[in-house]
Amino acid sequence: MILQAERLEVRHGATRALRDVTCEVAEGQVLALIGANGAGKSTLLRALAGLDAVRSGVIRLFGEDITGRSAHAVARRGLSLVPEGRQLFADLTVRENLQMGCYRAPGDRAAARLRFERVFGLFPVLRDFAERRAGMLSGGQQQMVAVGRALMGEPRVLLLDEPSLGLAPAYVGQILDVVRELADTGTAVVLAEQNAAAALRTADQGIVLSNGTVTHRAPAADLLADDDVSRHYLGVGGADDGAAPSPARVLPEGLRELRI
């Protein structure tokens, strides 16, 4: 496994935000995190990225214990986080925002051009808007910049926190298509996603978090077929709701989007 977390506990003051959480993701695999607001999804991503202190447990990246390492030290080892809310530099251009992601992967101009071309290949619209200020873009385009900025560092592990939040369905589809493409070319992805059905259809494995602890852990297809998961997180009464659409497309009739 590229990234492993074992029995993590994280506290926010007196509140125990994560309790005994174990998860792992392999090369070329997408792990979906689903759960209600406050379940601990963002806290888990932040702990994995070195942003939230771990009270107990261990995190291993490529077999190395990185528990307690600083966020920049974790990033240098090949892990990138795309935070909720994008957090772009609104007054900088798209190109300048992407360039900010190169700090972890220094190299000559030819190498930098290759990284830009990779991002523009995944998100062609960004090539057209490369000299436009990021703050002038739509929410979906800004999310593409945020993902692209993370990819400029050539991470082997990518953490995505609510990438579809507030986006139109067409942009949700494009983002999740890219997530699957990245995994298919070898990147390990941990996806915390408000659209639980789309997340599980994109993922290989999934875990359900509730009140900071793992309640379900299974292949993503099994979670989609689980009546309890369907009832509480997918907005349907049972597992059999007809043929499953592509993870990057509109959900079937009767399946509502769930904010988590």
Side-chain angles (χ1 to χ4, degrees), residues 86 138-144 147 162-176 193-195 257 259:
R86 301 181 281 274
S138 71
Q141 292 160 356
Q142 288 183 12
Q143 187 64 64
M144 293 177 184
V147 175
E162 305 284 13
S164 79
L165 188 64
L167 303 189
Y171 281 122
V172 175
Q174 292 179 58
I175 296 294
L176 294 183
E193 173 52 49
Q194 50 131 356
N195 189 328
E257 181 180 82
R259 299 282 176 175

Side-chain angles (χ1 to χ4, degrees), residues 71-248:
H72 66 269
V74 173
R76 281 201 302 266
R77 284 162 173 77
L79 183 149
S80 289
L81 169 67
V82 180
E84 181 180 352
R86 301 181 281 274
Q87 298 184 26
L88 299 180
F89 299 95
D91 290 334
L92 298 184
T93 67
V94 167
R95 186 180 301 277
E96 289 167 337
N97 269 276
L98 293 177
Q99 194 166 11
M100 294 295 289
C102 289
Y103 73 95
R104 198 190 66 79
D108 58 23
R109 291 183 179 179
R113 281 197 297 271
L114 288 175
R115 292 195 289 274
F116 274 108
E117 286 303 313
R118 182 193 184 203
V119 171
F120 291 152
L122 291 169
F123 301 115
V125 69
L126 298 186
R127 187 191 302 274
D128 298 331
F129 294 155
E131 307 310 323
R132 184 173 297 186
R133 285 189 299 156
M136 298 176 64
L137 302 181
S138 71
Q141 292 160 356
Q142 288 183 12
Q143 187 64 64
M144 293 177 184
V145 177
V147 175
R149 180 177 61 188
L151 295 177
M152 291 293 287
E154 299 185 326
R156 291 182 60 192
V157 180
L158 182 66
L159 311 181
L160 294 167
D161 194 359
E162 305 284 13
S164 79
L165 188 64
L167 303 189
Y171 281 122
V172 175
Q174 292 179 58
I175 296 294
L176 294 183
D177 274 345
V178 167
V179 168
R180 190 65 255 175
E181 183 175 346
L182 291 171
D184 289 344
T185 55
T187 305
V189 181
V190 183
L191 171 66
E193 173 52 49
Q194 50 131 356
N195 189 328
L200 290 173
R201 291 189 175 108
T202 301
D204 303 285
Q205 300 288 326
I207 65 173
V208 179
L209 287 164
S210 178
N211 296 319
T213 191
V214 176
T215 61
H216 298 73
R217 184 196 322 277
D222 291 350
L223 291 176
L224 276 169
D226 184 289
D227 285 345
D228 184 57
V229 173
S230 294
R231 185 166 52 254
H232 288 93
Y233 300 102
L234 307 184
V236 296
D240 186 6
D241 63 330
S246 161

Side-chain angles (χ1 to χ4, degrees), residues 49-68:
L51 292 168
D52 279 5
V54 173
R55 185 182 182 94
S56 64
V58 62
I59 302 170
R60 294 187 179 89
L61 183 61
F62 311 116
E64 178 187 1
D65 185 350
I66 62 167
T67 315

